[in-house]
Amino acid sequence: MVIFRALGPFEAISDGETLDLGGQRQQAVLARLLVAGGRAVPVSALIDELWPGEPPAQALSTIQGYVSRLRRALEPGRAPREEAGILVSAPPGYALRAGVEDVDSWHFEHLVKSDHDGPAATLERMETALGLWRGPALAGFQELMWAQAEAMRLDELRLLAVERRADAALRLGRTGALIPDLEAHASAHPLREEAWRLLALALYRAGRQGDALGALRRAREALRDELGLDLGPTLQRLEQDILAQAGHLDAPEAGAPASGASPGARVAPDTPRGTEPARAGTRALRVLIADDQALVRTGLKVILDSEPGLDLVGEAENGEQAIALVRDARPDVVLMDIQMPRLDGLAAARRILAAEAPPKVIMMTTFGTDENLYAALRAGVSGFVLKTSAPEQLIAAVRAAVAGDALLDPAVTTHLISAFAGRRDPSAPEGLSDADVDLIKLVARGFTNRQIAMTLDVPEGEVAGDVTALLRALGLVDRAQLVVLAYERGLVSPGTPGA
């Protein structure tokens, strides 16, 4: 039995003894093969990752030497000319052949994503999975890009396991002991609405109705401060149910079957997130990714797969592919990189948005200072996110775009509005009433339809209709263009409260 540890300290154990895997570079080769999950890793990729930019003249023979020493460590009893059974040659490189339970990161992922037979089985599997976690994944290789992407992916799975464990425990009626851990989880990840749902429900079942409402209030403040959004529908329903003391929120009686999730739960019972059906009467949002970096696409796939109600319908490596896939797959949202080969993201977005009934387009950028940001907003994109943003912010951007709101990362917004800082003479477009101008200002300050309705004391549906009519009257495609117009005309300016 060989156990490869990638969660926490990287090492290998055979028959209870730690193996000597050699130096850091030999370990990096094995870690890279481990991350590949049994797939072949080309020798050229190993060379590029170990010696980026300037590989030594004998790089190929050095890699071969590393592999030879690793094989001896992993299979010490193998005869000199006997074919390797664990670290095998797989042209054009090497692959790691091991059982799922022999590699803790593989075993961890399998446990988190597996189907389960009820809350008790779910709880047991999540406890087992989290028991494999001993610290940051691949902590010794964080300077390597592939390790950063894999560590982020595994950490997202860890957060999912924490929430699935808590959900199962709540459905089994185990409440009190959960609260401290859920408090820490929600505080550390304030944009995860599932964390706040679980905490509020646990507090309510512990007889702490005021604290449950307080938790939802903190969730609302975090979402507004970071993203300019209100609570999602699930948390809004939970808040209303707590105020009404709805009976379905009560803990299950001892011995009662706990096969169903509480109403308002985001994850269907015992269904891995990313595979559960959409709520009755709704359909999953179709998302397309366009980015020339394979690692970025992989990370985005993990994020989308872990979120209920989102379906990945295609991947494109350049702008031309993105245009063709939009035509064939008919997505609701396109996550588009700005800098891509053959046809850049801005040009592709313009062509996509010029078509009939186009999808929403969200641009992804690295630094938030790209010179094309303003041009992209003028073209009608629905928002910007940084590639370094938290997964919760990316999900929020997708849902905000589909809902008709624009979500701009704060770093992007700061850069954009600085271009309008010197404007002094407000000039609203002709033909607009004072009420229209007030509405434009509120939209430009990042208010959602619900926040505008509360501010103006009118029904939320009326606000949505007014925004749609305003866009039509001005010949604009999206809410984001309304923000640009407000800054161009000087109706709002940097430093305006709420702007």
Side-chain angles (χ1 to χ4, degrees), residues 120 145 153:
M145 286 190 61
R153 188 184 74 85

Side-chain angles (χ1 to χ4, degrees), residues 187-340:
S187 298
H189 306 281
L191 301 184
R192 294 184 73 89
E193 293 195 40
E194 178 68 354
W196 292 109
R197 182 190 76 82
L198 293 165
L199 174 59
L201 185 56
L203 288 166
Y204 180 85
R205 289 184 175 179
R208 298 166 58 181
Q209 179 176 336
D211 289 339
L213 292 171
L216 294 176
R217 183 170 58 252
R218 287 155 53 200
R220 176 177 281 111
E221 291 171 353
L223 289 168
R224 284 179 174 174
D225 291 346
E226 294 294 326
L227 306 176
L229 297 177
D230 200 354
L231 297 179
T234 297
L235 292 187
Q236 290 185 33
R237 282 195 298 270
L238 178 58
E239 186 176 44
Q240 294 166 4
D241 288 344
I242 289 174
L243 289 169
Q245 298 183 343
H248 67 76
L249 295 183
D250 294 336
E253 296 180 4
S259 58
S262 302
R266 294 172 62 199
V267 182
D270 303 320
T271 304
R273 291 177 60 153
T275 64
E276 66 275 28
R279 293 189 184 93
T282 66
R283 68 173 181 84
L285 298 178
R286 298 166 59 81
V287 183
L288 186 146
I289 297 170
D291 196 292
D292 61 322
Q293 298 183 43
L295 285 174
V296 173
R297 294 198 306 274
T298 299
L300 291 173
K301 285 169 59 178
V302 171
I303 293 171
L304 295 175
D305 286 345
S306 69
E307 182 67 16
L310 299 183
D311 281 349
L312 178 64
V313 297
E315 299 177 53
E317 298 179 4
N318 57 62
E320 291 182 356
Q321 287 184 7
I323 293 169
L325 282 174
V326 166
R327 184 172 55 249
D328 295 338
R330 307 301 300 170
D332 299 301
V333 180
V334 180
L335 294 173
M336 181 87 72
D337 186 19
I338 291 183
Q339 303 294 339
M340 291 191 294

Side-chain angles (χ1 to χ4, degrees), residues 362-406:
I362 298 171
M363 305 300 289
M364 299 183 295
T365 181
T366 304
F367 303 109
T369 56
D370 192 287
E371 61 185 7
N372 293 322
L373 298 183
Y374 175 66
L377 279 179
R378 292 298 304 270
V381 305
S382 295
F384 277 93
V385 292
L386 297 181
K387 290 185 179 180
T388 55
S389 298
E392 297 86 354
Q393 190 157 352
L394 177 72
I395 296 299
V398 171
R399 297 199 182 282
V402 173
D405 289 328

